[in-house]
Amino acid sequence: MESPAQAEAYARADFSTPHQRFVELFGEKFPGLALAGAVLDLGCGPGDVALRFARAYPHCTVHGVDGSPAMLAAASVCHQRHPGLQDRVHLFEGLLPQATLPLDRYHAVICNSLLHHLPDPAVLWASVVRWAAPGAPVFVVDLRRPPSAEEARRLTDCYAAGEPAVLQHDFYHSLLSAFEPGEIRAQLEAGGLGHLHVETPSDRHVVIWGNR
């Protein structure tokens, strides 16, 4: 997502409900976790999830990495919604898995809606292996591919009808680009992460979680 107009549309869109639900789901999968230290957000976009995560876990810092300069340039919009967190949330430009980050290992790795953007899904799982410390919580949420283009259109009409045309277009094509749970299980096995859980909490999402 390298278009400034596209990035700005995403930054200004109201994703408060799904992004907050991402943070809540993390808490449900890792109940009672007194998370401290550094958290890595892979494919952070303009940083709304990273900021919400930092607010929910006040003893951690969050490093976000994204390959789109336009997305990172739009981060100021999200920072305005979450004042007072700039000193604990830092976003970096870089392409996975070659990105250069401040730390070698992180106390947790999170990722929201990156997997379906990657031409090679192994890149995400290799990045988890590279940066997650032993025992670190790993939490990934992504779209899951519906059984047909017709179902993808129905889901788009159901969940994105009120969004700008660019977001509707991207949501529809993201659904078609996403992976089925069985495909994700195979990716995890190939990447040495076969012990992670794969669950489908809704008609359009998949959650991958567990400890490194």
Side-chain angles (χ1 to χ4, degrees):
M1 295 187 179
E2 297 181 352
S3 163
Q6 186 182 37
E8 190 73 11
Y10 271 84
R12 294 194 178 280
D14 183 9
F15 291 120
S16 57
T17 297
H19 287 179
Q20 190 60 36
R21 184 57 183 152
F22 177 96
V23 177
E24 293 169 356
L25 269 174
F26 180 93
E28 292 173 12
K29 298 305 180 185
F30 303 97
L33 179 66
L35 186 61
V39 176
L40 178 60
D41 182 4
L42 298 170
C44 63
D48 188 61
V49 168
L51 289 158
R52 291 176 185 276
F53 200 91
R55 186 177 298 281
Y57 293 92
H59 300 295
C60 73
T61 59
V62 182
H63 291 173
V65 59
D66 200 278
S68 169
M71 278 289 189
L72 296 175
S76 61
V77 175
C78 295
H79 277 287
Q80 291 168 12
R81 299 192 192 114
H82 306 278
L85 295 176
Q86 288 86 344
D87 60 331
R88 292 199 293 115
V89 178
H90 307 280
L91 308 184
F92 302 91
E93 182 184 341
L95 294 174
L96 303 178
Q98 298 90 3
T100 300
L101 293 172
L103 300 177
D104 292 330
R105 293 288 184 178
Y106 285 84
H107 294 88
V109 174
I110 62 175
C111 178
N112 182 55
S113 298
L114 173 64
L115 182 60
H116 68 270
H117 287 288
L118 297 172
D120 180 5
V123 165
L124 175 58
W125 310 121
S127 299
V128 169
V129 169
R130 175 179 175 183
W131 279 299
V138 174
F139 187 71
V140 177
V141 176
D142 212 277
L143 296 173
R144 61 185 176 107
R145 190 172 72 249
S148 66
E150 291 76 15
E151 178 63 7
R153 178 56 62 191
R154 186 193 72 79
L155 291 170
T156 302
D157 292 340
C158 180
Y159 295 109
E163 301 295 342
V166 62
L167 299 186
Q168 293 187 44
H169 174 274
D170 286 350
F171 183 63
Y172 174 73
H173 288 280
S174 291
L175 286 167
L176 297 180
S177 300
F179 296 97
E180 297 176 346
E183 295 170 332
I184 294 173
R185 291 185 189 277
Q187 295 167 13
L188 293 171
E189 290 288 347
L193 296 169
H195 62 286
L196 297 183
H197 305 279
V198 179
E199 300 176 357
T200 53
S202 78
D203 57 359
R204 62 201 184 281
H205 291 113
V206 60
V207 175
I208 305 98
W209 67 280
N211 293 89
R212 169 76 168 90

